[in-house]
Structure formats: C-alpha cells, structure tokens
Amino acid sequence: MRHNRIMQCVLLLCSLLLLVGCGTRWDIHTETTEDTLTPMDDNLIVVGVSQIGSESVWRTANTSSIQNVFTKENGYFLIFDNARQKQENQIKAIRSFISQQVDYIVFSPITEDGWDTVLMEAKEAGIPVILFDRQVKVSDRSLYTTWVGSNFEEEGRRAGLWLAEYLEQTGRSGEDIQIVVLQGTEGSTSVIGRTEGFDSVAALHDNWKILEQADAEYTTAKGKEVMKDMLGRYEQIDVVVSQNDDMTFGAMEALKEAGVSTGVDGDVILLSFDAVKSALKLVEDGQINVDIECNPNQGESIEKVIRDMEAGEEIESEYYVSEQIFTPENVSDYLPDRTY
Ligand code: GZL
C-alpha cells in the first residue's frame, strides 16, 4: 500500500512544481506542520484498529495495550475506531480502513458470525487482517492472517477444576450444588469458550446442577439486573460463575441487597473472570473466591506479528497470551504490580 502513496507523492510534487512554474507561490514546506503529519511524510505503517467498545475495565486495558504500541515513535500511524458494541460499526470501520488503503486491519470481532463479506473485501484490497481477543467463524480461513488472544476454553476449565478442588477441600464434594452462570455477550468467542470449558468439568460431577446460564452482556448494570432476577426465581444458589469482573461487581450489589454474602466465609461461592485490579482486591478481601485471569495486554504481540510480516517472517496461525488464576492465597503477591 505504501508504494501507492509514494506514487501519490510524486504526482503531487509534479503538480506543485507545475503550479510554482505558473508563478503560484505555495511553499509546500509550510503546509506540513507537526500535527498534520500524514503517513507518507514518515513512511509510517498505517494500522486500522476496530475495537469492540469500552464495556469493561478489561476492554479499557486491552485498548491501552494497543494504543501504547502503535505510535509514531514506533513507526505507526494508528487509525482507531470504537464500535460501541455494534457489529455494524465494526464493518463500517473496516470498510473505511479499506478505502483509506491502510497497510493492516486489526480488530476484535464482537461476535463470531457475519464477517465473510467484509473480510473478502479486505482480501480483494490486498490488506492483511489480524484478529485479537475474540475470533470469527468464516468459510475461508485465508480471510485473516492470524489471531492473538486467550484460550477461553482453558479459562473455563480452570474455573471448573478450581471449584471441584474447593468443594473437596471444604468437605462439600458430595453435596448437591446449585450453580448459576452470568455469561457475557452472546455468540462471542470468550463466552463460547468459557462456557464449554466450565461445562466440560461440570459434566464430571453428577451433584452439580447448573440452574441457568444467562446473558448479562459483560456489564455491571446487566450483571446486577440478571443476578437480581435469578435470586427472585431460585430458592437455593450455592455458586455464581460470572464470566467477567464487571458483571461480578453488579452481581455482588444484587446479592448484598438480598442479604446474601459471597466469598470465603459467604453464603455463595463466587467465581469471576478477567482478574482486573479492582476485582483482585475483592479476592484479597475474601469476597470473590477465585478470579480466572484473561490477559488484555495483547498490543505488543499484535505489533510483533506486524513487524514479522514486514520482515517477511513466517507467521503462526494463532498466538496465545499467558494467564493464571488468583485466589486469596496467592493474590497479594501480584496486586502491587497490577497495572489495570
Ligand atoms: C475476553 C473479552 C471479554 C472480557 C470482558 O477476551 O472478550 O470481553 O472478558 C470483555 O471483560 O468485555
């Protein structure tokens, strides 16, 4: 793409010389000031990023990790779009990136379906596509180069394995356990994977009964609303599995208003995902029993992929970020260094 822009430069320069030749005084050097630098001035790599939105603390950290690496100092011109939770906004942004002839399109697809057409348009325009965080379900795998993100099914498995061990340790492995699950955005890779992973462990325990798995959209407000509704409909809830910390915060408000305590000495065992700092403090306080980390720091991995592509290096089909789980026993070792 950058060769197109060089040609544009040459044509622009020729036409300017013609203008000067006609006596028109237009000093092109005064037209380019610091804040109007365009990609062609510095031969910057132009990256169009479509981010899902700003629905959670995790998402904000994820966005920061991207904006912190795609800087002019690092050789990039970043065009960043916040889709505000709408797939149609992501599709519009991707089409805009195509018309601007960016060098790379980078995006986190809010849900897995509905991307074939626009990704075919990017492929026909010769623009590589890199996915991060969530994935797409497409008929042709060549519609994107690679994906950077988490192993969501492993995250779900970790939650189930932790619960099994905790019930064993607390002498409750033989009890009937009533479980409700607050899920994130329906059809998103993180929900699909976390649900499949947890369900695969739950299926090994006949005494675990998953009463309901409901979409609480990864937000605090919806998490509170759905938790309140569940409390009104179920006599006994022993475990709440909340697929991100923002929904956990909302669920805790609803539980507290209902006089139900959570955590280590609580009425309800509470499992959460993401492991943002504000939630880890609640783990340390014993109000959340375990937080399954989902690492939002993907910007550096994405930038490394682009650097490798620029250098003609071999690219893997997927890149996983490293993650762990946090409990009251280990969280204090990590909290001081937590940046998000
Ligand atoms: C996970 C990401 C999820 C987070 C939520 O990778 O897709 O979306 O768990 C965010 O906090 O909204």
Side-chain angles (χ1 to χ4, degrees), residues 206-255:
D206 296 341
N207 58 317
W208 294 11
K209 180 169 175 43
I210 298 181
L211 301 170
E212 184 176 350
Q213 309 206 52
D215 181 356
E217 299 173 1
Y218 279 138
T219 66
T220 297
K222 197 68 178 172
K224 180 174 183 177
E225 179 191 318
V226 171
M227 187 73 249
K228 192 171 178 180
D229 175 56
M230 287 175 165
L231 285 165
R233 286 188 288 113
Y234 296 109
E235 192 62 35
Q236 175 70 26
I237 296 175
D238 302 301
V239 176
V240 174
V241 179
S242 172
Q243 292 185 347
N244 91 325
D245 291 331
D246 298 73
M247 294 188 293
T248 300
F249 301 146
M252 289 177 76
E253 285 176 30
L255 288 158

Side-chain angles (χ1 to χ4, degrees), residues 52 55-59 108 133-134 150 152 190 194 218 243-246 273-274 294 298:
I52 289 174
E55 74 283 0
S56 66
V57 175
W58 184 96
R59 186 66 57 196
S108 176
D133 175 24
R134 301 180 188 175
S150 302
F152 299 115
S190 39
R194 288 170 183 162
Y218 279 138
Q243 292 185 347
N244 91 325
D245 291 331
D246 298 73
F273 288 77
D274 277 358
C294 178
Q298 300 164 355

